[in-house]
Amino acid sequence: MPVETLTYESPQFLQKLIGHDLSGLRIIADALHVQITSRDGWVRIEAEEPAILAVKEVFAQLERIRRQGGEVTPTMLRLVTESVLTEHGSAPADAIMNLKLQGSSRKPPVLVKTRGQIAYVQAMRDHEVVFGIGPAGTGKTYLAMAQGLHLLREKAVQRLVLTRPAVEAGEALGFLPGDLKEKIFPYLRPLYDALYDMLDPDEAERMIERGAIEIAPLAYMRGRTLKNAFIILDEAQNTTTEQMLMFLTRLGEGARCVITGDPSQVDLRRHVRSGLRESVEALQGVEGVKFVSFLSKDIVRLPVVQRIIEAYDRHRAQ
């Protein structure tokens, strides 16, 4: 059986190509049905000639991503391998790097890692209103945040507005201790976490202080018109139908918005209809509105999370 060896400049560079984890080699080997061994700075491929060519193409695409400053993860490695296997996947590195989102000069760019994420970021570039719908861990909120910071950095918008319903407390919040900021902070914490992951804390605080970034409960959007802003409505499955319509009619000149949600995790009281579900039914085919659905294979958290969600889906289907 033919054998070919790829040699790299250092073991460290090769480790970065396979996501710092030897399981990356197993992903490639299983997908392309080849035998791969590696030591130090080389990779040995044993397979028929067409499979060897496919493996070499996978490594060439990963190398392009690394040399352009991208960080390879196991999920991204799986995307590149699958893309090389498909008819239209000859240059996955270009698709990934062309959609990179740079929110801060001090932090590495955010890169797409799955097919669903590629479609999502492309939709945010092409449409005024985008719905990202799917299970937890698919990057819906994180990528929307990255897109908003990217547009802010490019001065395409003047501010980034982040909002989510505080449904667990019925948006009353009065019984919680502390001042208003302390009452609502637990419901907005996931948005702060994503923000601080993309910006240095000092930079994030400065942008919040000067109003370039605003984080507030959905109830605070009522009566406002948001112009030249990128607005993210997170956890939209917990909006009522009235709240969703209220939010969508806040958009002013130069505004763009992203609505994220997981219809399987509705926390509204029984007999209260989700605004996200109504919008999915009502807005299909509306010009300027795009729906992107994520699948369990788009999950970029621990692999066990994907298996848990798939197991729940099978159980509930029964």
Side-chain angles (χ1 to χ4, degrees):
M1 185 174 290
V3 175
E4 187 151 347
T5 300
L6 306 179
T7 304
Y8 293 94
E9 58 210 50
S10 70
Q12 292 76 19
F13 185 81
L14 176 57
Q15 282 291 312
K16 291 176 180 177
L17 279 191
I18 59 174
H20 302 281
D21 191 340
L22 287 177
S23 64
L25 292 178
R26 288 196 294 273
I27 292 171
I28 299 172
D30 292 345
L32 299 175
H33 307 293
V34 300
Q35 288 188 343
I36 301 179
T37 54
S38 174
R39 188 174 292 117
D40 297 327
W42 56 262
V43 175
R44 183 174 180 269
I45 311 159
E46 185 175 349
E48 297 300 330
E49 193 61 33
I52 288 178
L53 292 174
V55 174
K56 289 173 67 177
E57 180 62 19
V58 168
F59 275 93
Q61 294 294 322
L62 294 173
E63 186 172 352
R64 289 180 67 179
I65 292 170
R66 274 300 307 154
R67 295 198 186 282
Q68 293 180 59
E71 188 73 22
V72 176
T73 66
T75 313
M76 184 188 294
L77 196 151
R78 193 173 288 109
L79 168 65
V80 170
T81 304
E82 290 174 355
S83 297
V84 169
L85 276 171
T86 63
E87 182 181 353
H88 304 293
S90 59
D94 291 342
I96 291 168
M97 298 310 294
N98 288 342
L99 294 174
K100 71 178 179 180
L101 301 169
Q102 188 75 55
S104 169
S105 57
R106 301 179 187 177
K107 295 275 189 173
V110 175
L111 302 179
V112 294
K113 300 180 178 73
T114 70
R115 292 186 186 281
Q117 290 188 353
I118 288 175
Y120 187 47
V121 174
Q122 192 63 57
M124 288 190 286
R125 291 189 175 185
D126 297 340
H127 298 82
E128 292 93 342
V129 178
V130 175
F131 286 80
I133 301 170
T138 49
K140 303 183 298 294
T141 304
Y142 195 85
L143 285 173
M145 184 89 74
Q147 173 71 1
L149 289 172
H150 179 80
L151 294 177
L152 201 58
R153 187 170 184 264
E154 298 293 316
K155 296 182 169 54
V157 296
Q158 295 175 358
R159 58 184 168 145
L160 174 59
V161 180
L162 314 170
T163 185
R164 55 169 20 201
V167 68
E168 293 86 351
E171 299 202 22
L173 305 176
F175 64 89
L176 293 174
D179 60 20
L180 181 60
K181 184 175 181 180
E182 291 170 330
K183 290 175 189 289
I184 63 177
F185 181 78
Y187 305 103
L188 303 176
R189 179 62 186 264
L191 297 176
Y192 281 98
D193 288 345
L195 184 64
Y196 290 139
D197 193 49
M198 296 179 202
L199 299 176
D200 289 332
D202 291 345
E203 184 180 8
E205 291 298 333
R206 285 196 302 272
M207 295 178 80
I208 291 172
E209 286 176 7
R210 72 170 190 259
I213 297 176
E214 178 185 347
I215 305 177
L218 179 60
Y220 286 34
M221 298 296 110
R222 193 174 299 279
R224 300 177 60 185
T225 300
L226 301 169
K227 298 180 180 180
N228 301 312
F230 188 86
I231 310 114
I232 301 170
L233 171 57
D234 192 33
E235 298 289 336
Q237 75 274 5
N238 289 329
T239 61
T240 64
T241 54
E242 293 81 5
Q243 286 174 329
M244 178 62 81
L245 181 58
M246 177 274 292
F247 171 78
L248 290 171
T249 54
R250 299 307 95 202
L251 304 180
E253 184 180 351
R256 305 175 78 88
C257 83
V258 177
I259 297 102
T260 72
D262 179 359
S264 70
Q265 296 192 16
V266 176
D267 297 319
L268 295 168
R269 293 188 302 274
R270 291 184 65 183
H271 310 304
V272 176
R273 194 175 185 211
S274 168
L276 179 63
R277 287 178 177 165
E278 183 185 47
S279 62
V280 170
E281 297 167 3
L283 300 180
Q284 295 290 342
V286 173
E287 185 178 353
V289 178
K290 179 70 173 180
F291 290 89
V292 178
S293 296
F294 290 89
L295 306 174
S296 59
K297 66 181 181 181
D298 292 308
I299 293 170
V300 292
R301 293 179 181 170
L302 283 174
V304 70
V305 175
Q306 179 177 340
R307 295 194 292 272
I308 288 170
I309 290 175
E310 289 173 346
Y312 265 94
D313 287 343
R314 289 194 298 270
H315 174 75
R316 289 173 175 175
Q318 292 170 1

